[in-house]
Amino acid sequence: MDFKKLTVFCRVYEYRSFSEAAKQTHLTQPSVSGYIASLEEELGTRLFDRKGRKVKPTQTGNLFYKYARRILSIKEEAENEINLFLGRKKGELKLGGSTIPGQYVLPKFLGKFKSFYPNVKISLRIGDTKHVINMLLQDEIEIGVVGAKIPEAKLNFIPFARDELVLAIPTNYFLEKKEKISLDTLKSLPFILREIGSGTRITIERFLAEKGIDINQMNVIAELGSTEAVRQAVIAGMGVSILSKRALEVELKAGLIKILPLNNISLWRDFYLVYPKQKTLSPFTQAFLDFALEFKEKEK
């Protein structure tokens, strides 16, 4: 059983797609199919059920994925250790970022990290907070930066950066003449939410709960799967939303969106570095964590 087969299998499993796995591994789709067929023959069982374009792991595939990820993780850790020992400073940093820190915080920070470790290959995967947590638990990445802390005994959460959430409204909305919005007024407005699992949504739900408001009491007109979708919906006049101020810089400068303060309320949250408790981090992941913590101290 070679590593290439395991890598291809993991990509098919993670993306539920032979064509996407082919893109990720720089192979043709027939080659990906060939690797999977060879692995299935070697194991003596089917790993995926294929119905047209749909790919679904079998129970055996679900079981095998945990071990395939573990094997590849150990291989990568060994390669990184050897490169460091030989003074090559080469290796791969595999991390995940939830939407806001992944798009607006990590790129700039990774540029600084890359200047100290120019030969390190950086693989950054973006998803909502729940998805990043799942990638960590399945050994797809070693460290992440997320927009909310959730109960998970197997993971460490360390505050990394601060983020302000603001009420975003369309520029032609009738509320633009008001100076501040009360929570009672907010409950009556057409409100656009991020999807379940988003760090922004988790923060909003916790904030409302502290004020004695259940999310079901809000006038929610839509739940959208990305910050970009919510932002475009606000621009189009569909409703209002609470979003990271970082994600609105361009729209605010262009006059496409306005923000209004909530009455006597400021809404801040932490972004968290998150990584497994019981796992020894690879050298470059540990270097990234140390670098991030030092950066955090300097930014205070």
Side-chain angles (χ1 to χ4, degrees), residues 167-176 190 192 231 233-241 255-260:
L167 178 65
I169 68 169
T171 54
N172 61 350
Y173 213 62
F174 71 93
L175 287 172
E176 63 181 296
I192 304 165
R231 194 166 49 204
V234 174
I235 291 172
M238 187 173 172
V240 306
S241 189
L256 298 173
I257 282 178
K258 290 188 176 183
I259 60 175
L260 284 178

Side-chain angles (χ1 to χ4, degrees), residues 164-184:
E164 182 181 11
L165 297 176
V166 295
L167 178 65
I169 68 169
T171 54
N172 61 350
Y173 213 62
F174 71 93
L175 287 172
E176 63 181 296
K177 295 180 181 179
K178 289 181 176 278
E179 292 183 359
K180 293 184 179 181
I181 302 298
S182 70
L183 286 178
D184 284 338

Side-chain angles (χ1 to χ4, degrees), residues 54-184:
K54 294 183 178 179
V55 177
K56 182 180 179 181
T58 62
Q59 289 185 338
T60 307
N62 287 326
L63 175 65
F64 184 65
Y65 177 75
K66 295 187 296 182
Y67 293 97
R69 280 298 334 154
R70 194 179 304 172
I71 292 168
L72 290 174
S73 179
I74 292 172
K75 168 184 174 288
E76 291 158 4
E77 184 178 337
E79 289 174 344
N80 288 340
E81 288 281 6
I82 290 170
N83 282 326
L84 276 179
F85 178 76
L86 296 176
R88 295 171 182 161
K89 290 189 177 181
K90 291 175 61 179
E92 183 174 8
L93 172 64
K94 299 172 71 173
L95 72 159
S98 61
T99 307
I100 301 302
Q103 293 179 341
Y104 300 98
V105 178
L106 280 176
K108 181 179 179 181
F109 176 74
L110 288 172
K112 295 180 180 179
F113 179 75
K114 185 78 171 174
S115 67
F116 286 89
Y117 297 91
N119 294 320
V120 176
K121 177 184 176 183
I122 296 173
S123 174
L124 171 61
R125 296 175 63 178
I126 306 291
D128 61 29
T129 292
K130 184 178 179 181
H131 183 58
V132 173
I133 297 301
N134 286 338
M135 286 193 291
L136 277 167
L137 295 174
Q138 294 178 3
D139 282 331
E140 295 175 29
I141 58 174
E142 275 201 288
I143 193 166
V145 180
V146 295
K149 183 178 181 180
I150 64 175
E152 178 48 67
K154 295 180 180 179
L155 300 175
N156 286 315
F157 288 83
I158 299 177
F160 171 58
R162 296 278 284 164
D163 184 46
E164 182 181 11
L165 297 176
V166 295
L167 178 65
I169 68 169
T171 54
N172 61 350
Y173 213 62
F174 71 93
L175 287 172
E176 63 181 296
K177 295 180 181 179
K178 289 181 176 278
E179 292 183 359
K180 293 184 179 181
I181 302 298
S182 70
L183 286 178
D184 284 338

